[in-house]
Every structure is written in structure tokens, then in C-alpha cells.
Amino acid sequence: MILYIIAFVLLIAPYSIRLLSKKLELYPAVILPDGSSTARYNDTHIIYSKIEIVGIDAKTGAAKAINTDLFFDPIPSNRIYGFVNNSFGIDAVRRDTLRFRKDLLSPIYTYKKYSEVQSQDLIAWYKSKLVAQGFEDSEFTFQEEIITIDRLTSEIVDSSLSRIENYTLND
């Protein structure tokens, strides 16, 4: 009996909550991943998403990928979509959207204003993270690339940027 209660608490209850909306998923997740951390595949191809944050190297001025683990530390870098969906907190208004699975109900929008102090602290935190890795502290870019690999030859057959968003860090 205790085993059933434990299974319900650890697996069935979180899964039931997650069925309503992905945003309601408990962290850390006990259930198997779904979404950005999974790859789609068929008989001939594997398709996955590659995410990068790109900054401007302070010495050379060239665009270069930022180490996301160091950039988000101590926050796990797999939480990047939460940052992207809220414009990395740089905008004064945070937009939270709660959408129920399969559009059972219309989306619910809530708007929360960040305080000026919160926004400035966050921008200062991003700047310090960029400088610590040797990048200019004025801007960075989020980009998502969709990569298709042939299953027989293991070669990349298609690669395209699906999303690019620039973020300017103003004082």
C-alpha cells in the first residue's frame, strides 16, 4: 500500500499536473523529459534543436558562443526557455502565459511589472557574467538552430536558424 502512495506522489500527481500545462511542471522533474530536451526522429532523419547564446568577444570583436552553464550559474542552463519567454527580464513587463494542453481552454495571460531595482540588478548580473567570460557587456543574442541528421550516414543534411533574438543591456 505504501508503495502505491509513493508512486502516486512521485509520478502520477506530477504527471497529472503537467497534463494541464507544461508551465505547471514541478522542478526538479521526476517524469521523463519532453520538449526542448528531446529529439524528433523518423525512419530516415533525426531532428533536434541546438540553442546558443552569442556574445561579442571583448578582445577580437567577433561573435562567439557563450558558455551557458557559466552564464546562468547557479541556475541550471536547461531553464533557458523561461528566460527567453520573459525577454531575459530586461523588459519592464514580464509576460507569463498559461496555456492548457491541446487548447482545451483559451490562454490565460498575467502581466507582472518588474521593479526598477529588480531590472537593474538583473542587467548588472548579466553584464558581470559576460565580462567574466571575456565578452563585451553591452549585448548578447539568443539563437536556436534546427539541425537534421541523416540516420544512415550520420551527416547533417539541413541546418537552419529558427529563432534569433537580440538583447541590449542598457543601464
Side-chain angles (χ1 to χ4, degrees):
M1 180 66 171
I2 295 204
L3 197 57
Y4 290 119
I5 294 172
I6 291 171
F8 179 77
V9 170
L10 291 179
L11 299 173
I12 297 170
Y15 184 72
S16 301
I17 292 169
R18 191 173 177 281
L19 283 176
L20 291 174
S21 173
K22 284 186 178 183
K23 289 197 175 205
L24 296 176
E25 181 174 7
L26 303 174
Y27 181 82
V30 178
I31 57 179
L32 294 174
D34 177 28
S36 63
S37 61
T38 60
R40 297 185 316 263
Y41 64 93
N42 58 31
D43 292 338
T44 58
H45 295 98
I46 298 171
I47 302 166
Y48 73 96
S49 172
K50 178 182 171 188
I51 297 169
E52 283 185 327
I53 298 179
V54 178
I56 305 299
D57 190 290
K59 293 179 182 175
T60 64
K64 187 172 128 183
I66 295 170
N67 181 329
T68 55
D69 290 334
L70 294 175
F71 186 72
F72 287 112
D73 185 53
I75 302 164
S77 62
N78 64 349
R79 310 304 283 175
I80 191 168
Y81 281 110
F83 282 85
V84 172
N85 292 338
N86 287 303
S87 300
F88 281 84
I90 294 171
D91 291 343
V93 177
R94 174 181 171 186
R95 292 172 220 46
D96 283 342
T97 305
L98 179 61
R99 182 180 300 276
F100 289 98
R101 288 285 174 112
K102 299 178 184 171
D103 295 326
L104 295 175
L105 299 171
S106 61
I108 301 169
Y109 295 95
T110 58
Y111 294 92
K112 300 177 186 175
K113 282 218 176 258
Y114 288 121
S115 74
E116 188 63 32
V117 173
Q118 289 172 321
S119 293
Q120 293 305 316
D121 287 349
L122 190 56
I123 288 171
W125 187 70
Y126 290 140
K127 286 183 174 198
S128 69
K129 294 293 190 168
L130 289 168
V131 169
Q133 291 190 50
F135 292 95
E136 292 180 6
D137 68 351
S138 58
E139 65 179 310
F140 62 90
T141 302
F142 167 83
Q143 56 187 40
E144 182 177 22
E145 182 179 10
I146 305 298
I147 299 173
T148 305
I149 298 175
D150 187 301
R151 289 184 74 175
L152 296 175
T153 63
S154 299
E155 293 181 7
I156 296 174
V157 293
D158 188 32
S159 174
S160 61
L161 286 174
S162 65
R163 189 172 176 184
I164 299 175
E165 296 182 27
N166 296 314
Y167 298 96
T168 304
L169 302 174
N170 296 325
D171 288 329

